[in-house]
Amino acid sequence: GQQVMQIPQYQHVQEGEDFTTYCNSSTTLSNIQWYKQRPGGHPVFLIQLVKSGEVKKQKRLTFQFGEAKKNSSLHITATQTTDVGTYFCAAYKVRKFYFGSGTKLNVKP
Amino acid sequence: KAGVTQTPRYLIKTRGQQVTLSCSPISGHRSVSWYQQTPGQGLQFLFEYFSETQRNKGNFPGRFSGRQFSNSRSEMNVSTLELGDSALYLCASSPGTTDDTQYFGPGTRLTVL
């Protein structure tokens, strides 16, 4: 069954609008990682969250790990066309990584 | 450091054939994982090798196999290809700790006709 649920599947925004993708698990996670895959490319590591309630920022990107360590979110402020791609969360469980289905972000200039 | 490399980048095969894909990890990385990416199923874990031993395995049939060599390079083999095996096969390396960051290669695009 699906180990990690990610929503939404698609998001179309106007350049300058904000974007958020959510990742949820039914069980507690030891950590969660986020990856970005550009069209035609391969997943590239963005960040890892480990602590309960952790918040990390990378320029316009803000990553959060829930207090119960069962959910996480990635928020992009003021999207740019360079943000286009698919964003995946990945949870490590039972000695393997489970990737969310990804959120495909399209940004209209 | 050079990144993860995968060869070939593109492959076209017919049903029933077999295929071998190759992955060279980042220098110093001892863990190599393989993933299958399809539009319908997303990124699915195939298996992980560490120090020439399969450490973890996903839920794929036995037609999918792999191995790792002493220099950490890894190969993945798919026998008796089916149309549904058409996918992007991604290899990822990491230093070795089981929940390490995965550094992905560019992938091999396999098309089965």
Side-chain angles (χ1 to χ4, degrees), chain A residues 86-101:
Chain A
T86 302
Y87 292 84
F88 294 95
C89 60
Y92 187 77
K93 289 184 181 184
V94 197
R95 304 177 66 190
K96 59 189 76 162
F97 275 102
Y98 291 91
F99 279 78
S101 52

Side-chain angles (χ1 to χ4, degrees), chain A residues 75-88:
Chain A
H75 179 83
I76 302 178
T77 304
T79 55
Q80 300 175 357
T81 54
T82 52
D83 295 326
V84 164
T86 302
Y87 292 84
F88 294 95

Side-chain angles (χ1 to χ4, degrees), chain A residues 5-109:
Chain A
M5 302 294 296
Q6 191 173 353
I7 56 169
Q9 194 175 0
Y10 301 97
Q11 188 83 57
H12 300 272
V13 300
Q14 200 72 38
E15 191 172 21
E17 291 182 336
D18 292 356
F19 158 78
T20 306
T21 174
Y22 301 90
C23 197
N24 296 292
S25 167
S26 58
T27 58
T28 302
L29 304 171
S30 57
N31 66 50
I32 196 155
Q33 299 179 355
W34 285 92
Y35 292 79
K36 176 184 178 181
Q37 185 173 19
R38 287 199 161 96
H42 57 274
V44 174
F45 173 77
L46 293 175
I47 209 156
Q48 175 170 284
L49 304 172
V50 179
K51 299 177 186 174
S52 167
E54 189 169 14
V55 178
K56 286 189 176 180
K57 292 192 175 187
Q58 287 180 352
K59 296 183 181 177
R60 294 177 295 103
L61 278 60
T62 302
F63 304 84
Q64 292 190 329
F65 202 7
E67 292 291 340
K69 298 182 75 173
K70 289 185 177 182
N71 57 73
S72 181
S73 65
L74 157 58
H75 179 83
I76 302 178
T77 304
T79 55
Q80 300 175 357
T81 54
T82 52
D83 295 326
V84 164
T86 302
Y87 292 84
F88 294 95
C89 60
Y92 187 77
K93 289 184 181 184
V94 197
R95 304 177 66 190
K96 59 189 76 162
F97 275 102
Y98 291 91
F99 279 78
S101 52
T103 296
K104 190 171 183 178
L105 172 64
N106 187 37
V107 180
K108 284 185 187 178

